Amino acid sequence: MSKRTIIEIAERVGVSPASVSRALNNVPGVSPEKRRQILAVAEELNYHPNAIARSLQGRRINTLAYIYVADMPDRPATDLFFFRDFITILAERCATYGMDLLLHPATDGDGSMNDIGRILRSGRADGLILADIRRVDPRVLYLIEHQLPFIAFGRTDIRKPYSYVDVDGEWGIYTATCHVISRGHQRIGFLGLPIEYTCAVDRYDGYHRALRHYGLPINPAYITHGVTNETQARVVVDRLLSQPEPPTAFVAASDMLAIYTMSVAAQHGMLAGRDYAITGFDDLPLAAHTNPPLSTIRQPVHQVCEELIARLMRRLDGEEHAQHTLLRPELVIRGSS
Amino acid sequence: MSKRTIIEIAERVGVSPASVSRALNNVPGVSPEKRRQILAVAEELNYHPNAIARSLQGRRINTLAYIYVADMPDRPATDLFFFRDFITILAERCATYGMDLLLHPATDGDGSMNDIGRILRSGRADGLILADIRRVDPRVLYLIEHQLPFIAFGRTDIRKPYSYVDVDGEWGIYTATCHVISRGHQRIGFLGLPIEYTCAVDRYDGYHRALRHYGLPINPAYITHGVTNETQARVVVDRLLSQPEPPTAFVAASDMLAIYTMSVAAQHGMLAGRDYAITGFDDLPLAAHTNPPLSTIRQPVHQVCEELIARLMRRLDGEEHAQHTLLRPELVIRGSS
DNA sequence: CTGTTAGCGCCTTCAT
DNA sequence: ATGAAGGCGCTAACAG
C-alpha cells in the first residue's frame, strides 16, 4: 500500500499537486479533461484526503465535541439515562450538518475543566457542546473568557453573554403540578434534582408557582432535593410516606426519580394511578412501559439537539454570538396520574 | 489571543522550538532549569499542543471511531436502545485508554461503506469499532482487505482472520428456553431478529437446540423473524396468539421485542408471569421496570466494551491480529417467567 | 490554465 | 545540551 497522497495522484496523471488539490476541491482553474483524469485516478486509488493535513491549514476538522462527566458521584442517575438518548440524537443532528461527534467522558470530577481547553485548542474539534449546566459553571466562564466556540444545553446564573438552548422546566413542572392539582390532589410531594444544577431550581420554581397559584401551602416536609439513586430514593420516599398526612401525589423532576418512587411505593402496597398520582420529567423511552405508564413532561430532545447544533454551527461561521432558545416541553398524560 | 505555539514559548523563554518540544514531551536533552522554565511558560500561556500537527507526523490522534447506521429502515428498534447504552459505555472504556470516541452515524444505508475508509484514512481516527454485524458484511471484508485497524462486535460467516468480540447468544437463548421449559411450558414461541444479522441466527440456534434437547417439536407457526417495531409486533403477536393452540411462553431475541409482545398480549387481557411466560435479551435498564419485570439474558456490556477496546488498542500497538473473545451472557430471572 | 513556493504546528534527525 | 533544517499532506498565494 502506497501513501495515497495528492502527490501520488499528481505523478500518475502527470500534473502538479496543486492541480490535484484544485480538482479534488472543486476549485476552478483546472481544465475539464485533467479534472476528469484526476478524479478518476483518485477513485481508482481509493484516495481520501487527509483531514488532519487539511485542518492544519486552519480549515475545520468537521467535528463537534461533547464533553461530559461520566462518573460524577452525585450525578443524578436519572439524567444519565436521559443523556444516553441525548447523545445519539445529538450525533444524528451533527451528521446532518456534516459533522461528527467526539465523545469525551471527562476524567476529572471538576466538570472537566482540564479537558475543555485542551480538546478545542488541540484542534480535535471545531466547537463544543456542554450540558449538565450548573448555576455558576466554571466551564462556561472559562469558555466565554477564552472566546472558544461552544453552546450550552442549559442556563446559568452567569450574566455574561453566551449562547444556550434550554427547556423551560419551570413551565413544565408548573404544568405537571397544575395537572395533578386539577385531579383533586392537595398534598403534593416534590422530588427535586441536586440544587447546584440550574434546571433543578428551575423545576422547583414551577412546583412552587403552581402551589401558590392554587393557594396551596408550601410544606417543606413534602419537598426533597438531590436524590440521585434508588437507595436514596428509598429513604426519602419512606420518610415522605410515613408522615401523619402524607402526600397523595408526587411531582418528580425526572422520570427516574418517579420510577424509583413508584418502586418504593409499591412496597408500601401503593399503586400509582390508583392510590396516588405521580408525574415525571423527560419522557424516557422507559416511561411508556412502566406500570402504570408514567405521566411525564416530554423534553423536546430532537428540537434541543437541532437548535444546539444549528446555533453552534452559525457561531462557527461567525454569524451569531450570544443567542439563545427556550423550548417548551409537553405534558404527556398516561396512567400514573 | 496569540497563536499559542511552541514558537511563542520558545521566544519567551529564549530557547529554540526544538527544546520546547523536547521539554513538553519529556524527551531527555534539556537542562532541568530550562525545562522548568519552559513548562512554567507553557502553563502560564495555557498552552495545549496541537494534536492535529502532532498526528500529521504519523503519531496517533487518540481517537477511536464508532461508525454505525442510525436510521436503517429495518434496524431493530430493539437494538437501537441497546446501542444507546453501548455507546456511552464504550466511550467510558475508551477514556480509560486515553482515547476519545468519534461517533459517526453513517448516512448511506449501505452499511456506511463510504465512510469507513474515509474516516480512517483521513486520519481522524486511529481505529474503528464495528457493530450490527451481518453474516456477510461488506464492511468487514473491506477493512480486512485494506488492512485497516478495526474490531468487530459480532461474528460473521467470513473465513478470513480478523478480531472480534461477541456474546454467546446461542447459549443465552438456549438457557432462556430451557428455563421456560423447566417452568412447564411446551408450546414456546420465538421472536427473532432480522436474519441477515449473525446474532439473529445465533440466537435462533439456541432456541432450536433447547427444543431438540427436550424432544419438543419445532413448530414453524410459533416462530417469527425480523420484527423490528411495535406495529409489526402487533400483527405478528396477534397472529401467534390467535392460533388454535397458541404458545404459552415466548422467548424473544431482544428486550424490546419482549416488551412489545407484553404490550400486545396485555390487550388480549394476558399478563406475563400469570397467563404466559416471556423472556428477553439484553437486560436494558428498562427491563427491570416493566410490569411485570422482565426475565432476560443480560449482555455483559461492560466486558464487551472492555474487550473491544483492549483488543483494538493491542492491534494498534501491533501486538496482535486476529484474536477473538466470546463472552457468556447471564440469565436474569424476574417476574415475567 | 498550470506549476512553484511557502507554510500550517510539531517533531525528528543532524550538526554543533 | 542545544539549535537549525527538513518534512508530515495539503492548500493558498504567487508566477508564468
Side-chain angles (χ1 to χ4, degrees):
Chain A
M1 276 217 311
S2 52
K3 299 293 202 48
R4 228 144 277 192
T5 68
I6 57 171
I7 297 185
E8 187 181 348
I9 299 180
E11 285 169 354
R12 296 218 185 193
V13 180
V15 294
S16 75
S19 292
V20 176
S21 173
R22 283 190 272 258
L24 257 23
N25 290 288
N26 278 324
V27 171
V30 194
S31 71
E33 172 55 16
K34 299 212 163 177
R35 183 181 298 268
R36 204 190 47 70
Q37 283 184 48
I38 290 167
L39 293 178
V41 173
E43 174 79 8
E44 180 194 331
L45 285 184
N46 207 328
Y47 167 84
H48 296 277
N50 186 322
I52 266 35
R54 268 189 174 163
S55 66
L56 227 209
Q57 323 281 336
R59 287 199 174 199
R60 293 204 189 139
I61 186 117
N62 292 327
T63 300
L64 301 178
Y66 175 42
I67 300 186
Y68 59 102
V69 183
D71 54 355
M72 185 159 44
D74 68 335
R75 205 272 178 63
T78 155
D79 285 349
L80 195 133
F81 289 108
F82 174 73
F83 280 107
R84 285 186 179 186
D85 295 334
F86 175 73
I87 284 173
T88 53
I89 294 166
L90 198 59
E92 285 169 29
R93 297 322 295 168
C94 283
T96 66
Y97 285 86
M99 309 292 275
D100 290 328
L101 185 64
L102 186 73
L103 247 39
H104 180 85
T107 46
D108 64 338
D110 185 29
S112 52
M113 283 300 288
N114 282 346
D115 301 316
I116 280 186
R118 192 173 59 70
I119 293 217
L120 238 30
R121 281 202 236 281
S122 74
R124 314 228 349 244
D126 304 307
L128 205 63
I129 297 141
L130 233 51
D132 281 320
I133 304 293
R134 307 187 193 184
R135 283 185 291 155
V136 177
D137 201 304
R139 304 169 302 170
V140 172
L141 286 168
Y142 178 91
L143 289 163
I144 294 174
E145 178 173 354
H146 292 265
Q147 302 186 48
L148 296 169
F150 78 103
I151 183 93
F153 174 25
R155 287 160 286 176
T156 66
D157 290 348
I158 296 165
R159 290 161 161 277
K160 300 177 185 165
Y162 68 97
S163 289
Y164 66 78
V165 175
D166 204 356
V167 169
D168 192 345
E170 198 273 347
W171 186 89
I173 291 292
Y174 171 79
T175 304
T177 311
C178 288
H179 158 69
V180 160
I181 294 172
S182 76
R183 288 281 204 257
H185 294 276
Q186 304 263 345
R187 301 199 305 274
I188 299 164
F190 177 76
L191 302 154
L193 305 171
I195 43 88
E196 62 266 32
Y197 297 98
T198 316
C199 65
V201 177
D202 190 41
R203 294 179 194 179
Y204 174 71
D205 288 345
Y207 167 76
H208 202 271
R209 178 158 68 96
L211 262 52
R212 278 203 323 268
H213 181 263
Y214 281 92
L216 295 175
I218 310 289
N219 184 345
Y222 292 169
I223 296 167
T224 174
H225 296 288
V227 167
T228 60
N229 60 50
E230 189 152 13
T231 313
Q232 294 175 14
R234 185 165 314 286
V235 175
V236 164
V237 175
D238 276 342
R239 205 187 58 216
L240 283 170
L241 290 175
S242 60
Q243 300 178 68
E245 291 204 309
T248 63
F250 293 95
V251 172
S254 78
D255 282 355
M256 286 311 293
L257 279 175
I259 287 165
Y260 294 152
T261 302
M262 289 199 285
S263 177
V264 176
Q267 296 175 354
H268 288 252
M270 295 170 64
L271 184 67
R274 187 190 66 189
D275 305 315
Y276 67 101
I278 188 164
T279 63
F281 197 108
D282 284 339
D283 196 26
L284 299 179
L286 210 160
H289 296 282
T290 55
N291 173 41
L294 181 64
S295 297
T296 191
I297 302 295
R298 174 181 297 159
Q299 298 232 37
V301 195
H302 288 272
Q303 269 186 72
V304 166
C305 291
E306 168 60 28
E307 287 284 330
L308 284 170
I309 308 298
R311 291 215 173 286
L312 185 49
M313 292 304 288
R314 260 181 259 139
R315 161 73 187 271
L316 293 182
D317 291 334
E319 287 172 18
E320 85 172 29
H321 285 284
Q323 309 282 342
H324 53 261
T325 309
L326 189 61
L327 294 166
R328 183 159 278 195
E330 177 193 357
L331 174 65
V332 179
I333 300 175
R334 298 199 180 97
S336 71
S337 65
Chain B
M1 275 218 310
S2 54
K3 300 294 202 49
R4 226 146 277 189
T5 68
I6 58 171
I7 297 184
E8 186 181 349
I9 300 180
E11 285 169 355
R12 295 220 186 193
V13 180
V15 294
S16 75
S19 292
V20 177
S21 174
R22 282 190 271 259
L24 258 22
N25 290 288
N26 280 322
V27 171
V30 194
S31 70
E33 172 55 16
K34 298 210 164 179
R35 183 180 297 268
R36 205 190 47 69
Q37 281 185 51
I38 290 167
L39 293 179
V41 172
E43 174 80 7
E44 180 193 330
L45 286 184
N46 208 329
Y47 167 84
H48 296 277
N50 185 322
I52 265 38
R54 268 188 175 164
S55 66
L56 228 209
Q57 327 280 334
R59 286 200 174 196
R60 292 204 191 140
I61 186 115
N62 292 326
T63 300
L64 302 177
Y66 175 41
I67 300 185
Y68 59 103
V69 183
D71 53 356
M72 183 159 44
D74 68 334
R75 204 273 179 61
T78 155
D79 284 349
L80 196 134
F81 289 108
F82 175 73
F83 279 108
R84 286 187 178 185
D85 294 335
F86 174 73
I87 284 173
T88 53
I89 294 166
L90 198 58
E92 285 169 30
R93 298 321 296 168
C94 282
T96 67
Y97 284 86
M99 308 293 274
D100 289 328
L101 185 64
L102 187 73
L103 248 39
H104 181 85
T107 46
D108 65 338
D110 183 30
S112 52
M113 284 298 289
N114 283 346
D115 301 317
I116 280 187
R118 192 172 59 71
I119 292 218
L120 238 32
R121 279 203 239 280
S122 74
R124 316 230 346 246
D126 304 306
L128 206 62
I129 298 141
L130 233 51
D132 281 320
I133 304 293
R134 307 186 194 187
R135 283 185 292 154
V136 176
D137 200 304
R139 304 169 301 170
V140 172
L141 287 168
Y142 178 91
L143 289 163
I144 294 174
E145 178 174 350
H146 293 266
Q147 301 187 46
L148 295 169
F150 78 102
I151 183 94
F153 174 25
R155 287 160 285 176
T156 65
D157 290 347
I158 296 165
R159 290 161 162 277
K160 299 178 185 166
Y162 68 96
S163 289
Y164 66 78
V165 175
D166 204 357
V167 169
D168 192 344
E170 198 274 346
W171 186 89
I173 290 292
Y174 172 79
T175 304
T177 311
C178 288
H179 158 68
V180 161
I181 294 172
S182 76
R183 288 280 205 257
H185 294 276
Q186 304 262 345
R187 302 200 304 276
I188 299 165
F190 178 75
L191 302 154
L193 304 172
I195 43 87
E196 63 264 33
Y197 296 98
T198 316
C199 65
V201 177
D202 190 42
R203 293 179 196 179
Y204 174 72
D205 288 346
Y207 166 78
H208 202 271
R209 178 158 68 96
L211 261 51
R212 279 204 322 271
H213 181 263
Y214 281 93
L216 295 175
I218 310 288
N219 184 344
Y222 292 170
I223 296 167
T224 176
H225 295 287
V227 167
T228 61
N229 60 50
E230 189 152 13
T231 312
Q232 294 175 14
R234 185 165 314 285
V235 175
V236 164
V237 174
D238 276 341
R239 204 187 58 215
L240 283 170
L241 289 176
S242 60
Q243 300 178 67
E245 291 205 309
T248 64
F250 293 95
V251 172
S254 79
D255 282 354
M256 286 311 293
L257 279 175
I259 287 166
Y260 294 152
T261 302
M262 289 200 283
S263 177
V264 176
Q267 296 175 355
H268 289 253
M270 294 171 64
L271 183 67
R274 187 190 66 190
D275 305 316
Y276 68 100
I278 188 165
T279 62
F281 197 108
D282 285 339
D283 196 25
L284 299 180
L286 211 159
H289 295 283
T290 55
N291 173 40
L294 181 64
S295 296
T296 191
I297 303 295
R298 174 181 296 158
Q299 298 232 38
V301 195
H302 289 272
Q303 268 186 76
V304 167
C305 291
E306 168 61 27
E307 287 284 331
L308 284 170
I309 308 298
R311 291 216 174 287
L312 184 49
M313 292 304 288
R314 258 181 262 138
R315 161 74 186 269
L316 293 182
D317 292 335
E319 288 173 17
E320 85 171 30
H321 286 282
Q323 309 282 342
H324 54 261
T325 310
L326 188 62
L327 294 167
R328 182 157 279 197
E330 177 193 356
L331 174 65
V332 180
I333 300 175
R334 298 202 180 96
S336 70
S337 66

